[in-house]
Amino acid sequence: MKKPKPILKYVLVSLFLTLPLILFFSIQQRKPEKELIRTRPGYTSYDFYIQRQLNKTLNPRLRTIWMTRDWDRKIKVFFRFFQDLKRQGLLSNDSKCLCVGARVGQEVEALKRVGVTDSVGMDLVPYPPLVVKGDFHHQPFDDETFDFEFSNVFDHALYPEKFVGEIERTLRPGGLCVLHVALSTRSDKYSANDLYSVEALVRLFRRSEVVHVRNVDGFGLDTEVVFRKKRDSSILVRS
């Protein structure tokens, strides 16, 4: 039996060594969206999920911190974020704004201080007059109500597609959504999902386009993603 020629031998060895790598990267590129937004285990029912979120929101120690030590500090940070968005022409004094998952409403107060007076927050526990009661999986607002929606609680959504769907439903055509999310760090113990790529988040916004993505330093969240709802979004839903 003849031995393989040297060149053929090298080709066969190269294929043997590189084929596993090719297969690995091919699988990674086809990685499904759900693996890039991973729901945390342990949520046996929606009621259990809601109760766990309420455990944080109603925690007396945390509420005291939010309304005292953290109050001015967080308002100053949000104020800078919103001022910057105004300078970019992404927010105006005439905008009707919603802050999703606003706790006690520091971001709402910051919006009012930059001149956007028609602003309100929504959370499971109301904090009048800044925050009304509502579940971000089922917003208590009519279609196309807001010009601008802000949230830094995407990681608390048990159903990220519903979270995004409700934002797109209640945004007016041409309206903006600004999300602050964590990519390089994992968020707190009350989070319901972990996000591993901006691309996975973008795929959820079926009726919007990306305006910009940038790094931020926002209370443990490192990435700002801004979306604009398409003006003829009714026919632009991706399958």
Side-chain angles (χ1 to χ4, degrees):
M1 183 176 179
K2 294 182 179 180
K3 294 183 179 180
K5 293 181 179 180
I7 294 177
L8 179 60
K9 181 179 179 180
Y10 292 139
V11 169
L12 291 173
V13 170
S14 297
L15 284 173
F16 178 78
L17 293 174
T18 58
L19 189 57
L21 289 173
I22 293 171
L23 290 172
F24 172 79
F25 286 113
S26 175
I27 290 169
Q28 290 300 303
Q29 289 174 356
R30 297 196 305 268
K31 203 169 188 179
E33 175 185 328
K34 66 182 180 181
E35 291 186 15
L36 299 175
I37 304 176
R38 187 169 301 158
T39 301
R40 293 189 179 183
Y43 292 102
T44 55
S45 69
Y46 194 68
D47 287 341
F48 178 81
Y49 157 78
I50 290 294
Q51 187 56 55
R52 181 163 173 76
Q53 298 305 308
L54 287 172
N55 288 345
K56 177 177 183 178
T57 305
L58 293 173
N59 183 299
R61 183 182 65 83
L62 289 177
R63 291 189 77 81
T64 299
I65 291 173
W66 294 337
M67 292 182 285
T68 54
R69 188 184 73 194
D70 274 3
W71 182 257
D72 288 330
R73 180 177 70 90
K74 288 194 172 184
I75 289 173
K76 288 177 182 177
V77 174
F78 286 129
F79 185 94
R80 289 196 298 271
F81 285 144
F82 296 139
Q83 277 281 54
D84 191 45
L85 291 170
K86 286 185 75 175
R87 282 193 293 269
Q88 296 177 63
L90 301 175
L91 178 66
S92 76
N93 288 354
D94 296 327
S95 298
K96 184 177 179 66
C97 299
L98 173 67
C99 295
V100 179
R103 304 299 184 200
V104 294
Q106 293 105 327
E107 52 266 74
V108 182
E109 180 63 25
L111 279 167
K112 292 178 181 293
R113 292 188 188 185
V114 298
V116 188
T117 56
D118 192 0
S119 300
V120 69
M122 177 190 69
D123 206 282
L124 291 173
V125 178
Y127 189 71
L130 297 175
V131 181
V132 300
K133 183 176 181 179
D135 179 347
F136 50 52
H137 292 106
H138 308 281
Q139 287 191 23
F141 306 108
D142 292 335
D143 296 355
E144 301 181 2
T145 297
F146 300 101
D147 302 300
F148 179 94
E149 297 193 30
F150 170 80
S151 184
N152 60 2
V153 297
F154 175 81
D155 57 294
H156 287 266
L158 183 62
Y159 303 116
E161 67 283 358
K162 288 186 177 181
F163 178 94
V164 170
E166 284 294 275
I167 288 175
E168 291 192 312
R169 179 183 68 79
T170 56
L171 267 181
R172 293 169 179 162
L176 288 163
C177 168
V178 177
L179 296 184
H180 286 181
V181 297
L183 289 178
S184 62
T185 60
R186 301 279 62 86
S187 35
D188 69 37
K189 67 179 182 179
Y190 292 97
S191 297
N193 74 74
D194 291 301
L195 177 66
Y196 293 94
S197 78
V198 170
E199 290 76 13
L201 181 62
V202 170
R203 291 189 196 106
L204 293 178
F205 279 81
R206 298 172 180 267
R207 302 165 66 185
S208 306
E209 56 192 2
V210 177
V211 176
H212 76 229
V213 179
R214 67 174 181 174
N215 294 329
V216 293
D217 182 10
F219 314 113
L221 306 177
D222 52 46
T223 305
E224 177 181 272
V225 190
V226 179
F227 298 90
R228 188 187 303 276
K229 184 176 176 180
K230 295 174 182 176
R231 294 188 181 277
D232 192 11
S233 59
S234 61
I235 62 173
L236 294 171
V237 177
R238 297 192 292 270
S239 59

